[in-house]
Amino acid sequence: MSEIEFGLDTFGGVTTDADGRSLPHPQVIRDLVDDAVVADQAGLDFFGIGEHHRPDFAVSSPEMVLSAVAAKTERIRLGSTVTVLSSDDPVRVFERFATLDAVSGGRAEIVAGRGSFIESFPLFGYDLQDYEVLFEEKLELLAALLKEEPVTWQGSTRAALTDQRVYPTTERGLRAWVGVGGSPDSVVRTARHGLGLFLAIIGGPAARFAPYVDLFERAQDQFGVERQPVAVHSPGLVAETDEKARALVHDGWVAMRTRMGQERGWPPPAVGDFEREIESGALYVGSPETVARKIAATLQVLKVDRFDFKYDQPVQHADHQRSIELYGEKVVPMVKDMIA
């Protein structure tokens, strides 16, 4: 990458109607396709969709939705954020994204990761006790498949391959990343396999991730691999004013944090947590000027090649689309001016 890219990604979170009722999954999925069209028209570089298998997220097959997006867009790159590799088959992952790459004219990317949730493990018959070995072995195989040469591989999590070719082939190869939440071991593993590093910054100041970017560079040098790009993503929403943006996001953010806390044993959000995450944490909520200043500050402390705005706050679809427009047409140009 010769300059910083600016993208969007979404977990396919269920949105609401004017009365606050959750929209059905089919409508949410159709809306995501429309969002990507707006992002393409706004000049953004990337649109990513995450894989989940639970009721509050609509997308379990990002590649299918991205194929629909490919048919309606012209230039924006398309990828998963993330593909839950631990509970998938690397051969099938490569085949699906190579197919997406073909129908999109070479715009497909893979972001492989462990995933934010564990529902896919029992759903597809995997034991959580194998959490580490599943990801390690499957990432190793995926990295080999990405070279598009005959693969010989053996492990404990799937059948071995001997001098095996996988199809379809691509025209220019697939760009691939590993989604990492902040584990040094994961950063080093990503460097060893020669893949891009995709850092999920969902809480706290961005500066605390600078050591991971430095570690990634050092590890690549030690492994003697070609330097790969680094991306970050953080959640947020852009509106015409700071007050409007905060009002739109506040209740849904508190409800989401409370729900996640109950599932994972976190304490409920305290008074002032929402405001602190906006002012000094990883929540990019506000007017175009406010969000642009915060993104520019992040890019000044982190040496990254792409910033992705995770825009799927639990609001109405019209608010999402307006946020995408403001991000592409106002925020990104301002950030480019600031960092220049």
Side-chain angles (χ1 to χ4, degrees), residues 38-281:
V38 173
D40 189 45
Q41 294 170 345
L44 294 169
D45 298 302
F46 176 76
F47 189 83
I49 301 177
E51 172 194 345
H52 291 86
H53 303 270
R54 47 185 291 136
D56 43 350
F57 299 103
V59 180
S60 59
S61 179
E63 313 91 292
M64 291 293 292
V65 184
L66 293 169
S67 290
V69 170
K72 293 190 173 186
T73 56
E74 297 179 359
R75 52 167 299 279
I76 195 165
R77 296 188 64 83
L78 308 170
S80 57
T81 51
V82 299
T83 292
V84 185
L85 188 62
S86 303
S87 56
D88 210 329
D89 184 89
V91 174
R92 296 294 290 146
V93 169
F94 176 86
E95 290 175 338
R96 296 196 304 264
F97 278 90
T99 303
L100 174 63
D101 198 60
V103 300
S104 66
R107 292 185 280 146
E109 301 184 6
I110 303 172
V111 183
R114 301 172 187 269
S116 301
F117 301 94
I118 60 172
E119 287 82 4
S120 65
F121 284 81
L123 182 63
F124 297 113
Y126 291 99
D127 192 331
L128 277 171
Q129 291 184 343
D130 299 327
Y131 187 80
E132 292 292 339
V133 68
L134 281 167
F135 189 69
E136 177 64 51
E137 287 193 2
K138 292 187 177 189
L139 185 62
E140 178 184 64
L141 177 53
L142 180 63
L145 294 166
L146 288 166
K147 298 175 183 177
E148 300 194 40
E149 299 173 352
V151 172
T152 296
W153 179 92
Q154 185 172 359
S156 62
T157 55
R158 74 173 314 280
L161 299 176
T162 301
D163 203 29
Q164 180 69 55
R165 298 297 299 261
V166 178
Y167 304 100
T169 58
T170 67
E171 294 174 314
R172 295 180 293 276
L174 284 170
R175 180 188 288 178
W177 316 69
V178 177
V180 174
S183 161
D185 290 342
S186 296
V187 172
V188 173
R189 179 192 297 116
T190 302
R192 186 174 75 248
H193 289 304
L195 303 174
L197 180 68
F198 201 104
L199 289 168
I201 305 179
I202 59 174
R208 70 189 180 93
F209 283 81
Y212 297 108
V213 178
D214 293 338
L215 174 62
F216 187 57
E217 291 184 351
R218 296 198 310 272
Q220 289 176 105
D221 290 341
Q222 291 178 7
F223 289 125
V225 298
E226 182 180 350
R227 283 288 181 94
Q228 297 298 315
V230 179
V232 297
H233 95 150
S234 289
L237 188 86
V238 190
E240 284 76 7
T241 66
D242 289 347
E243 293 75 18
K244 182 178 180 179
R246 292 189 180 203
L248 285 169
V249 174
H250 178 271
D251 291 352
W253 183 88
V254 171
M256 180 272 296
R257 280 289 300 270
T258 301
R259 185 174 67 252
M260 293 298 102
Q262 290 170 346
E263 292 183 11
R264 302 184 180 190
W266 302 340
V271 174
D273 280 356
F274 176 69
E275 291 75 16
R276 279 189 288 273
E277 272 303 313
I278 293 174
E279 292 160 9
S280 59

Side-chain angles (χ1 to χ4, degrees), residues 9-10 13-16 234-238 245 248-250 252-254 256 274 282-285 309-317 319-320 323:
D9 57 57
T10 171
V14 171
T15 47
T16 61
S234 289
L237 188 86
V238 190
L248 285 169
V249 174
H250 178 271
W253 183 88
V254 171
M256 180 272 296
F274 176 69
L283 197 55
Y284 293 68
V285 171
F309 192 60
K310 180 181 173 295
Y311 74 94
D312 61 345
Q313 303 303 312
V315 296
Q316 294 183 49
H317 181 230
D319 297 317
H320 277 173
S323 179

